[in-house]
């Protein structure tokens, strides 16, 4: 009597298996007690053999940076094994979290590029949107850096909230749209380059004695 299956990566987050994943721990539980564990091989395959009849639970131990896709709980419960029976196809489909990161810079010469010596901008809010909904926001640090981590694959929009007195240079509307994230491919260098508005001021005088002063 045995239980077997495979561990797969869902590369495009469509819920379907794409490539096998090696080296993931799979646990076998019975009556609330872990009775065995194994590790997936190069083909993502695992098996528990020589089992007695009974009710089992099979769980995966998710590696850091991964999340369960199917089953969503990362476990199969109430697997009933009968005498002489083997169960296969107890598969786990997971996807890797991904990230988006970048920096906020001041464009001192207004050329829409980050040139050497131009400073980072701290304390600016950066928003993350998906399907028309704001899903997260963060603030740039002392190095002007921001990041959104533990994201699932999909299409995102990243927006900056411009401080008063600033205007966008690159991107020219302060928004990155249609950012497509796929498993295992983080996006870096999504930078915002802004400049400060300048001003011109003076005073109007009445020359009472007409001396031009």
């Amino acid at each position: 009597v045995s239980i077997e299956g495979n561990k797969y990566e869902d590369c495009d987050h469509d819920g379907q298996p794409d490539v096998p994943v090696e080296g993931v721990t799979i646990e076998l539980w019975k009556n609330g007690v872990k009775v065995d564990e194994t590790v997936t091989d190069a083909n993502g395959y695992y098996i528990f053999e020589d089992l007695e009849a009974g009710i089992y639970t099979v769980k995966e131990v998710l590696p850091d940076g991964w999340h369960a896709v199917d089953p969503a709980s990362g476990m199969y419960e109430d697997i009933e094994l009968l005498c002489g029976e083997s169960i296969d196809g107890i598969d786990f489909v997971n996807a890797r979290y991904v990230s988006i990161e970048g920096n906020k810079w001041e464009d001192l010469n207004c050329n829409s590029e980050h040139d050497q010596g131009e400073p980072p901008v701290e304390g600016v809010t950066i928003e993350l949107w998906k399907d028309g909904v704001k899903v997260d926001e963060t603030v740039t640090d002392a190095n002007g850096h921001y990041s959104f981590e533990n994201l699932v694959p999909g299409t995102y929009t990243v927006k900056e909230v411009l401080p008063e007195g600033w205007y966008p240079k690159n991107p020219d509307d302060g928004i990155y749209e249609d950012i497509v994230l796929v498993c295992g491919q983080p996006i870096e260098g999504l930078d915002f380059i802004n400049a400060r508005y300048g001003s011109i001021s003076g005073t109007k005088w009445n020359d009472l004695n007409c001396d031009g002063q």
Side-chain angles (χ1 to χ4, degrees):
V1 179
S2 63
I3 296 174
E4 62 184 278
N6 287 78
K7 163 86 167 186
Y8 295 103
E9 179 176 2
D10 177 7
C11 294
D12 52 9
H13 213 255
D14 63 354
Q16 302 301 312
D18 292 315
V19 295
V21 183
E22 180 180 7
V24 177
T25 299
I26 308 295
E27 299 177 341
L28 183 68
W29 292 67
K30 186 180 182 185
N31 299 325
V33 177
K34 185 171 72 173
V35 295
D36 200 1
E37 68 175 41
T38 187
V39 175
T40 56
D41 66 14
N43 298 310
Y45 177 74
Y46 74 90
I47 186 169
F48 297 106
E49 298 181 284
D50 301 323
L51 302 178
E52 298 179 356
I55 306 295
Y56 291 87
T57 294
V58 182
K59 304 179 183 180
E60 62 178 339
V61 179
L62 278 169
D64 288 342
W66 293 72
H67 65 97
V69 173
D70 186 25
S73 64
M75 69 175 68
Y76 289 92
E77 299 182 278
D78 300 325
I79 299 173
E80 184 176 6
L81 270 183
L82 304 176
C83 290
E85 179 186 33
S86 290
I87 295 179
D88 59 15
I90 305 298
D91 296 341
F92 294 92
V93 180
N94 298 156
R96 281 184 266 190
Y97 287 117
V98 279
S99 61
I100 296 173
E101 62 180 281
N103 287 76
K104 165 87 165 185
W105 302 102
E106 181 175 2
D107 187 5
L108 296 177
N109 59 6
C110 293
N111 67 349
S112 301
E113 298 178 1
H114 175 236
D115 300 310
Q116 185 173 2
E118 290 184 326
V121 184
E122 181 180 7
V124 176
T125 298
I126 309 294
E127 299 177 340
L128 183 69
W129 292 69
K130 189 174 191 286
D131 300 325
V133 177
K134 186 171 72 173
V135 295
D136 200 1
E137 69 175 37
T138 188
V139 175
T140 56
D141 65 15
N143 297 310
H145 183 258
Y146 75 90
S147 66
F148 298 105
E149 301 180 344
N150 296 329
L151 304 178
V152 299
T155 301
Y156 293 85
T157 294
V158 183
K159 305 179 183 181
E160 61 177 339
V161 179
L162 278 168
E164 186 176 355
W166 294 73
Y167 63 98
K169 292 292 293 180
N170 189 13
D172 58 10
D173 59 355
I175 301 173
Y176 287 99
E177 297 184 281
D178 299 324
I179 305 300
V180 179
L181 283 179
V182 297
C183 285
Q185 297 181 26
I187 292 180
E188 302 174 347
L190 210 63
D191 294 350
F192 292 92
I193 300 175
N194 299 155
R196 300 188 212 212
Y197 286 113
S199 63
I200 299 174
S201 63
T203 304
K204 169 80 171 182
W205 299 95
N206 186 6
D207 185 4
L208 297 176
N209 60 5
C210 297
D211 66 351
Q213 302 299 315

